């Protein structure tokens, strides 16, 4: 999963000069700010075996599929989804070092459908301090919310942050990977999809 955003950062510069380290929350819904989720080929293969399909919901969009490689070397097409980032929180030090704290994609969802259920993951939050991605979980068949900001995945950062401050524009790109379901997510998603 990769994240990119460009933000006007005049406030970041002022905040950095005023304090040794300062947290700054940027509302990015009117800026170019996107999170892109690319599925792993093994995850897609396992989902197909369980008869689970995916779809975009609300503000998310499906992008062009890309090639993914299974462990045996076979190449298959994997889906890619875009989630607009609505908020980003960063820390700015006195030396203008910028460190991401979290990113939020409100009103973006990923729908999972199986023979036994229909659920949606929405309102994704990536916390760089805890290395946890969380999301709300909804049962669309029964029209109920199963969990709010449920820890969904643990992750590792697969590429170092690329952060630059050019004039009054903050550019930040980072990438996370090795997303693994938390035990709570496995339990609740399995129940919502009617899977063993």
């Amino acid at each position: 999963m990769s994240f990119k955003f460009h933000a006007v950062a005049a406030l970041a510069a002022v905040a950095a000069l005023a304090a040794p380290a300062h947290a700054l929350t940027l509302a990015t819904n009117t800026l170019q700010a996107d999170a892109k989720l690319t599925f792993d080929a093994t995850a897609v293969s396992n989902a197909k075996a369980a008869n689970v399909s995916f779809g975009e919901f609300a503000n998310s969009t499906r992008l062009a599929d890309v090639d993914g490689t299974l462990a045996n070397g076979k190449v298959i097409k994997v889906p890619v989804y875009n989630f607009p980032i609505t908020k980003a929180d960063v820390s700015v030090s006195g030396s203008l070092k910028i460190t991401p704290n979290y990113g939020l994609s409100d009103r973006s969802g990923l729908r999972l459908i199986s023979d036994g259920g229909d659920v949606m993951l929405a309102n994704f939050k990536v916390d760089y301090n805890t290395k946890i991605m969380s999301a709300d979980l909804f049962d669309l068949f029964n029209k109920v919310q199963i969990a709010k900001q449920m820890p969904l995945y643990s992750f590792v950062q697969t590429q170092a942050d690329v952060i630059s401050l050019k004039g009054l524009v903050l550019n930040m790109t980072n990438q996370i990977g090795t997303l693994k379901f938390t035990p709570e997510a496995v339990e609740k998603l399995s129940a919502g999809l009617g899977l063993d």
Side-chain angles (χ1 to χ4, degrees):
M1 189 160 199
S2 60
F3 304 89
K4 293 183 180 180
F5 77 86
H6 309 281
V8 176
L11 292 176
V14 171
L17 295 174
H22 184 74
L24 180 66
T25 302
L26 304 168
T28 58
N29 49 347
T30 59
L31 305 171
Q32 180 184 346
D34 297 293
K36 184 172 71 170
L37 172 65
T38 304
F39 277 83
D40 176 77
T42 302
V44 170
S45 181
N46 290 341
K48 284 182 183 176
N51 202 23
V52 174
S53 60
F54 303 98
E56 66 274 10
F57 203 90
N59 290 339
S60 62
T61 54
R62 183 161 178 175
L63 304 175
D65 291 355
V66 297
D67 290 339
T69 306
L70 295 168
N72 65 6
K74 182 179 178 183
V75 176
I76 65 170
K77 291 293 183 185
V78 298
V80 180
Y81 292 91
N82 187 71
F83 307 117
I85 299 171
T86 53
K87 188 180 290 185
D89 187 90
V90 297
S91 290
V92 184
S93 72
S95 63
L96 290 183
K97 181 175 188 265
I98 301 167
T99 307
N101 296 319
Y102 70 84
L104 191 62
S105 288
D106 273 335
R107 299 174 303 282
S108 288
L110 181 67
R111 189 173 182 180
L112 293 83
I113 304 165
S114 70
D115 291 338
D118 187 353
V119 299
M120 179 183 59
L121 295 165
N123 305 320
F124 298 95
K125 180 179 181 182
V126 175
D127 188 320
Y128 294 96
N129 297 315
T130 63
K131 305 288 192 238
I132 294 288
M133 179 192 293
S134 56
D136 296 340
L137 177 61
F138 298 90
D139 181 332
L140 297 179
F141 179 75
N142 292 308
K143 297 179 176 57
V144 296
Q145 184 173 10
I146 298 171
K148 184 165 182 63
Q149 286 302 295
M150 169 186 74
L152 178 62
Y153 294 115
S154 63
F155 65 84
V156 297
Q157 192 157 345
T158 57
Q159 288 183 2
D161 298 325
V162 177
I163 300 172
S164 64
L165 188 59
K166 295 179 182 175
L168 295 178
V169 178
L170 170 67
N171 294 297
M172 183 173 85
T173 302
N174 65 36
Q175 185 169 321
I176 62 174
T178 318
L179 279 71
K180 294 186 179 180
F181 281 125
T182 65
E184 181 182 356
V186 169
E187 177 187 338
K188 291 184 176 174
L189 280 171
S190 296
L193 292 169
L195 301 174
D196 290 336

